[in-house]
Amino acid sequence: MKSQTLSRRNLLIASGGIAVTSLATPSFAVEPSIDPLGKDLIFRTADPRNGEPKLSKLVQSWLTPTKHFYVRSHAPNPQINVDKFVLTVEGKVRTPLALTMDQLKQLPRHNLTATLTCAGNRRSEFNTEGKVGGVQWAAGPIGNAKWSGFALSDVLRKAEVLEEARHVWFEGLDQIQRSNAVIPFGGSIPIEKAMVNETIPGAVLADQMNGQQLTPDHGYPLRTIVPGYIGARSVKWLGKIVVSDKPSPNHYLATAYKLVKKTDPIDWTESGPIYRYPINGAIATPEAGVTVPAGRLDISGYVLPTGLMNSRAHRIEISTDNGVTWVAAKVTDGNSDFCWQLWKARVKVTSRTTSLLMRASDNTGGFMPQRVAWNAKGYLQNSWYRLPIRVS
Amino acid sequence: MKSQTLSRRNLLIASGGIAVTSLATPSFAVEPSIDPLGKDLIFRTADPRNGEPKLSKLVQSWLTPTKHFYVRSHAPNPQINVDKFVLTVEGKVRTPLALTMDQLKQLPRHNLTATLTCAGNRRSEFNTEGKVGGVQWAAGPIGNAKWSGFALSDVLRKAEVLEEARHVWFEGLDQIQRSNAVIPFGGSIPIEKAMVNETIPGAVLADQMNGQQLTPDHGYPLRTIVPGYIGARSVKWLGKIVVSDKPSPNHYLATAYKLVKKTDPIDWTESGPIYRYPINGAIATPEAGVTVPAGRLDISGYVLPTGLMNSRAHRIEISTDNGVTWVAAKVTDGNSDFCWQLWKARVKVTSRTTSLLMRASDNTGGFMPQRVAWNAKGYLQNSWYRLPIRVS
């Protein structure tokens, strides 16, 4: 009556079986040796621009240099004349606004360091169970940067939000071709998040990244930064804010970025928008597939705790024997709200080691599960990270 | 560098560690020996009436006798004069309706067998990690019954639903005291689910259960049955249907029945309503804590596959050695959409066995995970089921 030997696919389906999702190595749609915009990224698609850094480069520093910061776009970068740029604020407000950059710059400046992560980070790992749509990301669409700009709550207070306000919509100035329509990238956040005004505001309208003016790839001249939420809520090339009694009807809030098994109307409707990110992490060095000698091996990686204030990694663990025993990794960098933490570990590998496993939990109850349910769009892949290696 | 010995609490927090959630045995608020309404249930609260059967009784038959069918109420059973009863249908419809029971009975009758499960099934198991609010359910608030009534889609077609319809609200005739207001129990389902009209309609307005008129505990004279969705969407004592362009603002859809870590406004808003149930299961016999001789042991239980058409258990497994090895269980009853399946297994227990573990997966990709994230309201506890036993 013992379970029979499981096929690879059945093992994936069987609950609790050791996850066999290998680090997928998707074929790169485009990998230009020199990006015309100077980014040092692996481009998964060139048009629109979607690129992620090599993991070994990603963890060289706690702050991610802009050239190594992933780029996620749905259309070509819009050409914006900053002298004519106006941010409009409308909807459920007493005083609709049209703010130039100069007017925005009269607001108090807020600096914050926050990690952005694509909801599709590690998406390609889902393909071992069933094909998922979207950009075939490995574990690189994540980065930690210094942002500087203006608190959304300050702008909303200026506009005098009405009692019935429940959600704040963001609309980009990009133009995305979808079927026969052209739409901006958009999304919304709950009004409670928008009005958070602690050390770190609930959302910042940023004009600077890492001490420089935003680059076109990252939303010049103005973008939203929503710490703790998936990257999709941090709308780039921000042109319009709408205060509403309901969530944004924009495709990227109302339909996309949900956990669904199928992309039927009923599946989309049954599923709510993703806001917060769950804890996630990856092994960044050594490289996947590398051959190393038996014995001690130094490894490193990142972990991003759940998108909540005060969330920090509680336990980061590595296994070299497929999950039978675990060794603790040590945080080397990062003790800041809404930011990732870098870690190192020294493990022992033997001729029987075929991969390294990594898992983590945080102090808010978040954890990387052994396996996550497959979803059609490949979001929130945060199961134990597996890095295949060879030991000589 | 090996992980140190983990405390009980840390083991729960550590991702992927063997789950140590024991079968919690909450103290019963009320356990009347004879229920005035003749139910053979363990009442977790007497007012309102919230009772679940003993698990050994629950799995005696694939169809659950009404007296063993869990009762979940938020207020006293309303007194309804069926001769004056009218179901109103309003909102985004061309023809608002007010239907007497006699008028409803002129619609085609639909019979369906479907399992209802409380979203709080197995809630008490969360308490080992942190206290959860709500009725302290064990694994009994689930039951499979024959329902008979009228397709919601037939009623909606009669009312002529307008183009902008997106959700269908249900309101009960019960009166729930909440702070200073009295509200009915309510909820809504997406219009796509409401209009499903296959062998099993997306929702049925039932006046019969197991071949009899509904009892007051189960929603007499009319209740909603929404196969595949958590029990809370199957509103009892149904009095009003509203077709709308948005989900119901009723507390039990808009706020309660969501997965949240805290019960703050922002946490509620960030989280969408729960509609479908995920696969779940339990060991029903032997009883928790029983002493059995070493050797062969026959065990039984139930599994409810994910709330989707064609979903069936794919693999049901038992472990007597804390998850190191697993033995397959066999489905004995149940091959019907939106219904549970009963199973049996024969396992070997030794003096080292301290508990039985059960896990299952289904053919739609659903699985019972080793551990689920704690949530403040204790919903959707579907981790591996653990039954403590003693072996002599």
Side-chain angles (χ1 to χ4, degrees):
Chain A
M1 272 178 94
K2 290 280 164 96
S3 300
Q4 322 86 295
T5 307
L6 300 172
S7 71
R8 182 182 171 84
R9 176 165 168 86
N10 283 344
L11 194 53
L12 273 163
I13 288 172
S15 57
I18 296 295
V20 295
T21 39
S22 63
L23 181 73
T25 46
S27 55
F28 305 151
V30 186
E31 190 174 3
S33 48
I34 302 169
D35 173 52
L37 297 188
K39 292 284 153 51
D40 194 358
L41 299 174
I42 302 157
F43 279 85
R44 301 300 182 196
T45 69
D47 181 19
R49 289 168 62 75
N50 285 296
E52 63 182 308
K54 279 186 70 166
L55 292 183
S56 56
K57 292 203 174 140
L58 187 59
V59 298
Q60 281 174 353
S61 58
W62 183 69
L63 281 173
T64 310
T66 304
K67 67 174 181 173
H68 287 153
F69 203 101
Y70 78 100
V71 172
R72 174 74 180 107
S73 301
H74 295 75
N77 294 345
Q79 304 294 319
I80 300 169
N81 181 341
V82 73
D83 296 327
K84 294 186 181 158
F85 173 87
V86 172
L87 172 70
T88 60
V89 184
E90 55 185 60
K92 304 280 186 193
V93 295
R94 194 158 290 119
T95 314
L97 307 173
L99 301 168
T100 64
M101 281 305 293
D102 283 343
Q103 288 172 317
L104 275 166
K105 284 176 182 171
Q106 284 158 28
L107 293 170
R109 183 164 284 278
H110 287 260
N111 300 302
L112 77 135
T113 303
T115 297
L116 291 189
T117 180
C118 186
N121 189 4
R122 302 179 54 196
R123 169 181 288 142
S124 55
E125 295 172 44
F126 279 112
N127 289 309
T128 53
E129 191 172 346
K131 200 171 157 15
V132 286
V135 180
Q136 297 298 303
W137 297 115
I142 183 170
N144 188 48
K146 278 203 249 186
W147 309 97
S148 179
F150 321 101
L152 173 61
S153 56
D154 285 344
V155 172
L156 293 181
R157 254 187 293 277
K158 211 176 162 75
E160 299 176 285
V161 169
L162 299 176
E163 184 61 35
E164 59 264 41
R166 291 290 174 275
H167 296 264
V168 180
W169 307 357
F170 306 116
E171 273 185 26
L173 293 168
D174 47 348
Q175 299 193 299
I176 305 166
Q177 189 74 44
R178 282 189 50 81
S179 311
N180 292 323
V182 172
I183 64 166
F185 186 85
S188 62
I189 63 174
I191 189 78
E192 295 88 354
K193 176 75 170 172
M195 299 309 285
V196 165
N197 207 16
E198 308 184 19
T199 337
I200 299 173
V204 163
L205 312 184
D207 61 343
Q208 293 179 18
M209 174 181 188
N210 290 331
Q212 304 286 323
Q213 181 178 282
L214 284 173
T215 66
D217 272 343
H218 293 292
Y220 172 84
L222 193 71
R223 70 171 300 169
T224 319
I225 294 292
V226 188
Y229 281 15
I230 58 167
R233 307 303 169 226
S234 290
V235 173
K236 299 198 288 189
W237 310 297
L238 183 68
K240 193 200 270 193
I241 290 173
V242 181
V243 179
S244 176
D245 58 351
K246 45 179 176 288
S248 168
N250 183 283
H251 167 72
Y252 296 97
L253 189 289
T255 312
Y257 294 101
K258 293 180 170 184
L259 298 173
V260 292
K261 294 260 179 218
K262 288 180 292 176
T263 53
D264 290 347
I266 188 168
D267 290 70
W268 289 124
T269 314
E270 283 175 353
S271 180
I274 302 167
Y275 295 110
R276 277 189 208 147
Y277 48 75
I279 184 173
N280 206 346
I283 300 170
T285 68
E287 268 191 53
V290 79
T291 302
V292 299
R296 289 201 169 168
L297 177 67
D298 288 314
I299 67 175
S300 74
Y302 70 78
V303 61
L304 177 63
T306 307
L308 285 169
M309 281 289 268
N310 303 315
S311 186
R312 298 290 187 281
H314 167 76
R315 188 176 294 278
I316 304 169
E317 291 175 309
I318 311 297
S319 177
T320 60
D321 57 8
N322 220 16
V324 179
T325 61
W326 295 85
V327 165
K330 227 176 150 159
V331 170
T332 56
D333 280 297
N335 181 22
S336 189
D337 285 334
F338 306 117
C339 290
W340 71 0
Q341 298 175 277
L342 302 184
W343 56 261
K344 282 195 194 314
R346 177 168 287 179
V347 296
K348 218 182 111 191
V349 294
T350 70
S351 58
R352 287 161 63 192
T353 305
T354 56
S355 63
L356 306 172
L357 286 179
M358 175 254 170
R359 68 183 186 188
S361 60
D362 64 40
N363 60 357
T364 64
F367 61 96
M368 291 168 68
Q370 189 168 8
R371 190 188 146 209
V372 301
W374 183 91
N375 65 88
K377 298 289 285 176
Y379 293 127
L380 307 189
Q381 170 57 269
N382 73 332
S383 63
W384 298 358
Y385 190 84
R386 176 183 293 266
L387 185 88
I389 59 166
R390 289 190 196 91
V391 180
S392 63
Chain B
M1 271 177 94
K2 290 280 164 99
S3 299
Q4 322 87 297
T5 308
L6 299 173
S7 71
R8 182 181 170 84
R9 177 166 166 84
N10 283 343
L11 195 52
L12 273 162
I13 287 171
S15 57
I18 297 296
V20 295
T21 39
S22 63
L23 181 73
T25 46
S27 55
F28 304 153
V30 187
E31 190 173 3
S33 49
I34 301 170
D35 173 52
L37 297 187
K39 291 283 153 52
D40 195 358
L41 299 175
I42 302 157
F43 279 86
R44 301 299 182 197
T45 71
D47 181 20
R49 288 168 62 76
N50 285 297
E52 64 181 309
K54 277 186 70 166
L55 291 183
S56 56
K57 293 207 173 136
L58 186 60
V59 297
Q60 281 173 354
S61 59
W62 183 68
L63 281 172
T64 311
T66 304
K67 67 174 180 173
H68 288 153
F69 202 101
Y70 78 101
V71 172
R72 174 75 180 106
S73 299
H74 295 76
N77 295 345
Q79 305 294 320
I80 299 169
N81 180 341
V82 74
D83 297 327
K84 294 188 180 157
F85 174 87
V86 173
L87 172 70
T88 59
V89 182
E90 55 186 60
K92 304 280 187 193
V93 294
R94 194 157 291 119
T95 314
L97 305 174
L99 300 168
T100 64
M101 281 305 294
D102 283 344
Q103 288 172 317
L104 275 167
K105 285 176 182 170
Q106 283 158 29
L107 294 169
R109 185 166 280 279
H110 287 261
N111 301 301
L112 77 135
T113 303
T115 297
L116 290 189
T117 181
C118 186
N121 190 5
R122 302 179 53 195
R123 169 181 289 144
S124 55
E125 295 172 43
F126 280 112
N127 289 311
T128 53
E129 191 172 345
K131 200 169 158 15
V132 286
V135 180
Q136 296 299 304
W137 297 115
I142 183 171
N144 187 47
K146 277 203 249 187
W147 311 96
S148 178
F150 321 102
L152 172 62
S153 56
D154 286 344
V155 172
L156 293 181
R157 255 187 293 276
K158 211 176 162 75
E160 299 176 285
V161 169
L162 298 177
E163 183 61 34
E164 60 262 42
R166 291 290 174 276
H167 295 265
V168 181
W169 307 358
F170 306 116
E171 274 186 25
L173 294 167
D174 47 349
Q175 299 193 299
I176 306 166
Q177 189 74 44
R178 279 188 54 79
S179 311
N180 292 323
V182 173
I183 63 166
F185 187 85
S188 62
I189 63 174
I191 189 77
E192 296 88 355
K193 175 75 170 172
M195 299 310 285
V196 164
N197 207 17
E198 307 185 20
T199 338
I200 298 174
V204 163
L205 311 183
D207 61 344
Q208 292 179 17
M209 175 183 186
N210 290 331
Q212 306 285 323
Q213 181 179 281
L214 284 173
T215 65
D217 272 343
H218 293 292
Y220 172 83
L222 192 70
R223 71 172 300 170
T224 319
I225 295 292
V226 188
Y229 280 16
I230 58 167
R233 306 304 167 226
S234 290
V235 174
K236 300 198 286 189
W237 311 295
L238 182 68
K240 193 198 270 193
I241 291 172
V242 181
V243 179
S244 177
D245 58 351
K246 47 179 175 286
S248 169
N250 183 282
H251 168 70
Y252 297 97
L253 189 289
T255 311
Y257 295 102
K258 292 181 170 184
L259 299 173
V260 292
K261 294 261 178 217
K262 289 179 290 175
T263 54
D264 290 346
I266 189 167
D267 289 71
W268 289 124
T269 313
E270 283 175 352
S271 180
I274 303 167
Y275 294 111
R276 279 189 207 148
Y277 47 75
I279 184 173
N280 205 346
I283 300 170
T285 68
E287 268 190 52
V290 78
T291 301
V292 298
R296 289 199 169 171
L297 176 67
D298 287 315
I299 68 174
S300 75
Y302 69 78
V303 62
L304 177 64
T306 307
L308 286 169
M309 282 288 268
N310 304 314
S311 186
R312 299 288 187 282
H314 167 76
R315 188 177 294 277
I316 304 170
E317 292 175 310
I318 311 297
S319 176
T320 60
D321 57 8
N322 220 15
V324 179
T325 63
W326 296 85
V327 165
K330 230 176 148 156
V331 170
T332 56
D333 280 297
N335 182 22
S336 189
D337 286 334
F338 305 117
C339 289
W340 71 0
Q341 298 177 277
L342 303 185
W343 56 261
K344 281 194 194 316
R346 178 168 286 179
V347 296
K348 218 182 111 191
V349 294
T350 70
S351 58
R352 287 162 62 192
T353 305
T354 56
S355 62
L356 306 172
L357 286 179
M358 175 256 169
R359 68 184 186 188
S361 59
D362 64 41
N363 60 358
T364 64
F367 60 96
M368 291 169 67
Q370 188 169 9
R371 188 189 148 209
V372 300
W374 183 91
N375 64 90
K377 299 288 286 176
Y379 293 126
L380 308 188
Q381 171 55 269
N382 74 332
S383 64
W384 298 358
Y385 190 84
R386 176 182 294 265
L387 186 86
I389 60 167
R390 290 190 195 89
V391 180
S392 63

